[in-house]
Amino acid sequence: MRKSGLHCTLIILIVLSGCREKIQHGYSHVERAKVTGVRAEIMRPSQVSEYYDTSGTVKASSVSAVSSRIMGTVTSIRVKEGDRVKRGHLLLTIDDSDVVQKLQGAQQAYLEAQKALAAADENRNLANITYQRYKKLYEEKALTGQEFDQIKTQMRVAEMDYERTKAAAGRAEAGMNEAKVYHSFAHVVSPVEGIITEKKIELGSMAVPGVPLMTVEDNSSYRIEINISEKFAGRIKPGDEVEIFIDTLNKSVKGTVTEAVPSVDPASRSFLAKISLKNEGLRNGLYGKVSVPVGKKEALLVPVAALVERGELTGVYVVDERSVITYRLVRPGRIYGGLVEILTGLSPAERVIVEGIDKAVDGGIVVTSSEK
């Protein structure tokens, strides 16, 4: 038993001695791949624009809910959703049979008033001529004062009758014009130039005053309203240019701040800003991501081409002071031209490979041609 135990002890010592010799001879040394054809740059902070990101809904500058001003049955519909219309374009008509009767009555009353006015005018002229004749006779002492007073009274009565008839004719004309306007309400027209975005009435349905029949969207210009944190109050001014990304259209459009409401909402601790947009294929109700410039800041920027995607991870190749390459995970931010802001994962003065990315190897060592 003693010989067997001694034999095992000797074997263990020999193995440990061999392992110690391997460690001493550099078995722990890592052989690194040599990488050439890459270029690294030292990252230094750059001054860039600082943006406040928020979102909002695109709205047409003018959305008109068209309704009827009279009650009646819809007799025709001249447009459909999606049609482009001009201001004053006929949209639909409403049964006007009763309105026509009122208009005809008003027109007849006006004609009668005009005839009465013409008769009163002739009577006035006749009374005036008679007065002039009797006045001459009175001056020649061929007429008594009482007779002359009677003629003057007749002339004044004729004048007053004319004025009364003239006023009645004016009222008749106003009534006729009112009937014409009321009759025009049977023809519903577009108040603005734009696109029919909604039709809420069908042929034969009853139109009721004040109830919307159609919606016309003025597509010449749009706006978007956003809420901005109160800490940026005073830094957003009319005329500032902003960028809006429309998800549905997958494109960016430019906008201009038209109004920044100075008061702050105590509930949300934010203030309202209104931004005008050009019509670049926009539609009412589209969702937009808004970037508003609020000042300047320093940021670390790397070329977009320097980013390396590994699945859902994003990183860059960093070269340390020993020229060893390390794949470093980073969090990218806003893109400025061909450069991207690095929010986390990178520090100033570190070297990042910006050319020859496809040749970089995590754990490799950068060598020059002379070191080969």
Side-chain angles (χ1 to χ4, degrees):
M1 291 293 294
R2 289 182 178 178
K3 288 182 179 181
S4 177
L6 180 61
H7 182 69
C8 291
T9 303
L10 288 173
I11 292 174
I12 293 171
L13 290 173
I14 290 171
V15 171
L16 292 174
S17 176
C19 291
R20 186 163 50 249
E21 288 177 2
K22 289 180 181 180
I23 294 173
Q24 289 174 352
H25 283 83
Y27 274 71
S28 64
H29 177 69
V30 178
E31 289 292 333
R32 299 185 181 276
K34 295 182 179 181
V35 178
T36 60
V38 299
R39 184 173 68 85
E41 287 185 355
I42 297 176
M43 296 295 101
R44 294 186 173 85
S46 303
Q47 191 175 67
V48 296
S49 296
E50 182 180 6
Y51 290 88
Y52 177 80
D53 294 324
T54 184
S55 61
T57 303
V58 175
K59 299 178 181 179
S61 296
S62 173
V63 179
S64 301
V66 182
S67 60
S68 171
R69 299 180 69 174
I70 62 173
M71 180 180 290
T73 304
V74 176
T75 55
S76 69
I77 298 177
R78 306 299 181 87
V79 294
K80 60 182 182 300
E81 291 175 336
D83 284 355
R84 201 174 288 270
V85 296
K86 298 285 186 181
R87 180 184 178 92
H89 186 97
L90 180 61
L91 304 179
L92 57 87
T93 60
I94 298 173
D95 181 21
D96 61 353
S97 54
D98 58 337
V99 181
V100 168
Q101 295 299 320
K102 293 179 181 179
L103 176 59
Q104 290 177 349
Q107 289 174 331
Q108 190 65 37
Y110 173 72
L111 292 176
E112 292 296 330
Q114 288 297 311
K115 292 179 181 179
L117 179 62
D121 186 44
E122 288 190 10
N123 187 46
R124 180 186 64 162
N125 291 333
L126 178 60
N128 186 56
I129 293 172
T130 302
Y131 169 77
Q132 295 298 330
R133 289 174 179 171
Y134 276 79
K135 180 181 179 183
K136 187 176 181 181
L137 292 174
Y138 176 73
E139 291 173 348
E140 294 176 352
K141 307 299 182 178
L143 193 69
T144 65
Q146 182 178 359
E147 292 174 323
F148 183 61
D149 289 340
Q150 184 179 359
I151 296 302
K152 284 196 295 184
T153 300
Q154 291 175 353
M155 185 189 69
R156 287 197 295 268
V157 169
E159 184 68 33
M160 287 187 293
D161 184 57
Y162 172 79
E163 294 297 331
R164 184 173 57 255
T165 307
K166 182 179 179 181
R171 289 193 296 272
E173 183 178 13
M176 181 185 65
N177 291 334
E178 181 182 5
K180 286 181 178 179
V181 172
Y182 197 71
H183 179 255
S184 70
F185 294 159
H187 295 74
V188 181
V189 299
S190 174
V192 296
E193 180 178 350
I195 296 177
I196 304 297
T197 57
E198 190 174 10
K199 180 171 70 70
K200 302 180 179 181
I201 195 74
E202 298 297 334
L203 187 66
S205 300
M206 180 66 69
V208 179
V211 177
L213 304 174
M214 294 185 180
T215 301
V216 183
E217 178 182 306
D218 179 2
N219 66 332
S220 61
S221 62
Y222 290 86
R223 73 181 190 278
I224 189 168
E225 297 180 359
I226 58 174
N227 292 311
I228 302 177
S229 173
E230 64 177 345
K231 68 179 181 179
F232 297 111
R235 296 163 69 176
I236 311 296
K237 303 178 296 298
D240 288 349
E241 189 175 83
V242 302
E243 186 174 300
I244 301 96
F245 183 78
I246 307 298
D247 281 347
T248 303
L249 304 180
N250 193 30
K251 73 173 183 177
S252 295
V253 297
K254 298 293 183 182
T256 304
V257 176
T258 56
E259 184 180 353
V261 180
S263 61
V264 174
D265 181 3
S268 62
R269 307 312 309 172
S270 63
F271 66 94
L272 179 68
K274 299 179 181 180
I275 301 166
S276 66
L277 308 174
K278 293 181 179 178
N279 181 8
E280 299 185 28
L282 300 178
R283 298 191 304 274
N284 198 54
L286 291 178
Y287 173 80
K289 298 175 182 177
V290 185
S291 296
V292 185
V294 292
K296 298 289 184 180
K297 68 174 183 178
E298 286 194 340
L300 281 178
L301 303 178
V302 302
V304 175
L307 297 180
V308 180
E309 304 286 346
R310 290 185 177 179
E312 296 183 358
L313 303 178
T314 302
V316 294
Y317 286 117
V318 178
V319 182
D320 64 14
E321 65 278 359
R322 296 176 300 162
S323 297
V324 176
I325 301 173
T326 304
Y327 180 72
R328 180 85 58 78
L329 293 178
V330 297
R331 185 161 69 94
R334 182 179 299 277
I335 295 178
Y336 298 86
L339 302 175
V340 59
E341 177 186 6
I342 301 300
L343 301 176
T344 59
L346 196 62
S347 302
E350 289 191 295
R351 289 195 298 162
V352 174
I353 294 179
V354 296
E355 290 184 8
I357 307 297
D358 57 325
K359 300 177 182 179
V361 178
D362 188 17
I365 187 168
V366 178
V367 299
T368 62
S369 55
S370 60
E371 293 176 323
K372 293 181 182 179

